[in-house]
Amino acid sequence: MLTIGKRDASGTTAGEADHEPRVAIGEEDGVLGCAFSGIWTTRTVALIDADMRKIEKRSGFKTLALDVSKIEKMDTAGAWLIDRLVSAFEKKGVEIQMQGQSEIASILLEAVGEAVRREPESGPARPPNIVIRALEAVGRRVYEMRDDFLASMNILGATIRGAQMKLGRGHAVNPAAIFNQIDRMGVGAIPVVVLMSAIVGAIVAQQGAYQLSYFGADIFVVDLVGVLILRELGVLMT
């Protein structure tokens, strides 16, 4: 809990046992003045709470002047009591004038005021029934399908538009570039494909011969490798 207090040279809190919280009230020309003094902490605010509530019920004033310069010690409980008084008069349209507060006291009073006026967080939302959940799932799916359709149409449109712009400029696709890519991806890949086929064929032959030896069918290893490479693995590797 944040506490503001005045200490003497010895480091002890001044008058904590004797200085009870007090409020002096004065009235003049439509101004209600309240001068606070003493120690306003959690242990002592109960002594002044009744007097503060009586002040909150008063009316007929245009201005409320508060003097907190003589408060020796104040924590969040004391600041809340003063803020409650301020809120009560603000609801009545009374102008508030705060005097004598230190920089630390101003920060404390402002923090307490913000915490009090903060709207409480709403509790967890009640889960909808099964019909609403089903409709929500269908709606989300429809929106996802719409987004996918728009994305695919965007790609298709960009492709068609790009081709139109390319042909419209009179610059067709260069045949040399096509044959260059065919050469690089086809003819240039032959060494890699041959190497992969040889390695895979050797492994299949070694494993196949070992397994077929149990059945006396070693002679079919060549057929196994040929059929496997030409019909199955060859398609994947090329």
Side-chain angles (χ1 to χ4, degrees), residues 146-166:
R146 184 205 64 173
D147 295 339
D148 294 340
F149 175 77
L150 293 178
S152 60
M153 290 297 101
N154 185 24
I155 296 174
L156 179 61
T159 303
I160 297 175
R161 181 57 179 167
Q164 291 176 347
M165 294 177 63
K166 187 69 176 179

Side-chain angles (χ1 to χ4, degrees), residues 162-234:
Q164 291 176 347
M165 294 177 63
K166 187 69 176 179
L167 296 176
R169 295 174 183 172
H171 300 287
V173 179
N174 190 357
I178 297 177
F179 286 103
N180 180 49
Q181 295 299 321
I182 293 175
D183 177 69
R184 294 184 61 183
M185 293 184 294
V187 180
I190 290 177
V192 178
V193 174
V194 171
L195 178 62
M196 292 177 58
S197 300
I199 295 175
V200 173
I203 295 174
V204 172
Q206 189 269 337
Q207 294 294 329
Y210 178 76
Q211 296 296 331
L212 293 176
S213 63
Y214 290 103
F215 307 97
D218 304 27
I219 193 173
F220 296 107
V221 172
V222 178
D223 297 335
L224 172 65
V225 174
V227 172
L228 183 63
I229 294 297
L230 294 177
R231 293 185 180 179
E232 303 295 339
L233 297 180

Side-chain angles (χ1 to χ4, degrees), residues 4-131:
I4 303 171
K6 298 181 180 179
R7 297 181 179 274
D8 55 20
S10 62
T12 59
T13 305
E16 186 172 355
D18 300 331
H19 294 181
E20 297 180 354
R22 296 182 179 85
V23 54
I25 304 174
E27 304 177 13
E28 183 178 357
D29 298 333
V31 178
L32 176 62
C34 298
F36 306 108
S37 61
I39 298 176
W40 291 62
T41 61
T42 305
R43 296 181 179 181
T44 60
V45 290
L47 303 175
I48 198 67
D49 181 65
D51 295 336
M52 294 291 286
R53 292 185 183 275
K54 292 179 181 179
I55 299 175
E56 294 172 8
K57 296 179 181 179
R58 304 185 65 167
S59 59
F61 302 96
K62 297 181 179 180
T63 305
L64 175 65
L66 304 178
D67 184 4
V68 296
S69 60
K70 295 183 180 180
I71 294 181
E72 300 177 7
K73 185 177 181 181
M74 180 172 61
D75 61 7
T76 52
W80 172 79
L81 208 60
I82 296 176
D83 182 78
R84 190 184 68 184
L85 177 65
V86 172
S87 299
F89 277 89
E90 284 181 345
K91 293 178 181 179
K92 300 176 183 179
V94 177
E95 180 184 359
I96 307 299
Q97 295 180 358
M98 189 76 68
Q99 303 172 358
Q101 73 271 25
S102 63
E103 181 179 358
I104 300 178
S106 300
I107 296 175
L108 178 59
L109 291 170
E110 182 179 356
V112 172
E114 291 179 356
V116 171
R117 292 165 179 78
R118 186 181 306 162
E119 295 183 359
E121 298 181 358
S122 58
R126 183 178 180 181
N129 56 42
I130 186 172
V131 177

